Amino acid sequence: MTAETPPSKSDATALILAAKAAKGLSWEAIAEAVGMSPVWTTSAALGMNSMSPATAEALVAVLDLPAAVVPALVAFPTKVWDQTVPTDPAIYRLYEIVGVYGPTLKEVIQEKFGDGIMSAIDFTMEVEKVEDPKGDRVKVTMIGKFLPYKAW
């Protein structure tokens, strides 16, 4: 990014992460300030979703970022992953869960709903901490609209 070149989505992400750290803010606090969920806000801040202009402007204001970041946050993303198999342990574990339980989830979903898929567009997700004497638990709740396959 130069003075003449507007920030890209990856530039915007770097600026957001630096400002978040400098201000000592959590994703929860940022999400509350912009009026969106923590999971969605984090995803958009990391470049995987586009924000409305109003939400982008609110995020820029909360983090004291330059207004030039707004167009990058509003731009439609190209959803690309850097690696075939993720190496970050937290991301890998989710990848492993889908690898191990993916066929099971598909079978159970199709048994309950029919032939189709769960939308990742008409979709919400929450992450919660569940305290447990044997060690705290991570609770991930995904709610997606069922989309039946069509025959024509």
Side-chain angles (χ1 to χ4, degrees):
M1 175 177 77
T2 66
E4 306 84 38
T5 308
S8 65
K9 275 208 175 285
S10 61
D11 294 333
T13 295
L15 291 169
I16 290 166
L17 293 174
K20 176 185 176 289
K23 290 183 167 290
L25 292 172
S26 67
W27 288 117
E28 189 98 21
I30 295 168
E32 186 176 322
V34 302
M36 301 299 290
S37 79
V39 171
W40 184 88
T41 301
T42 305
S43 178
L46 296 177
M48 295 303 280
N49 284 296
S50 60
M51 293 184 168
S52 70
T55 303
E57 289 165 5
L59 182 87
V60 163
V62 167
L63 295 175
D64 295 321
L65 295 173
V69 173
V70 170
L73 297 173
V74 172
F76 300 139
T78 300
K79 298 183 182 196
V80 176
W81 294 266
D82 292 334
Q83 304 162 353
T84 303
V85 176
T87 56
D88 177 275
I91 298 170
Y92 175 78
R93 193 60 60 212
L94 294 169
Y95 178 83
E96 179 185 39
I97 290 167
V98 171
V100 172
Y101 294 102
T104 300
L105 290 168
K106 178 183 183 290
E107 286 293 320
V108 172
I109 289 167
Q110 291 183 332
E111 188 172 276
K112 290 180 181 255
F113 292 91
D115 191 18
I117 61 172
M118 179 180 75
S119 175
I121 295 171
D122 190 345
F123 175 85
T124 60
M125 181 170 28
E126 293 182 7
V127 178
E128 298 174 60
K129 179 179 180 180
V130 178
E131 294 186 12
D132 187 295
K134 296 177 187 171
D136 293 344
R137 310 296 178 180
V138 177
K139 180 179 178 182
V140 179
T141 304
M142 297 183 284
I143 301 173
K145 178 180 180 181
F146 180 73
L147 303 172
Y149 288 113
K150 293 181 178 182
W152 65 96

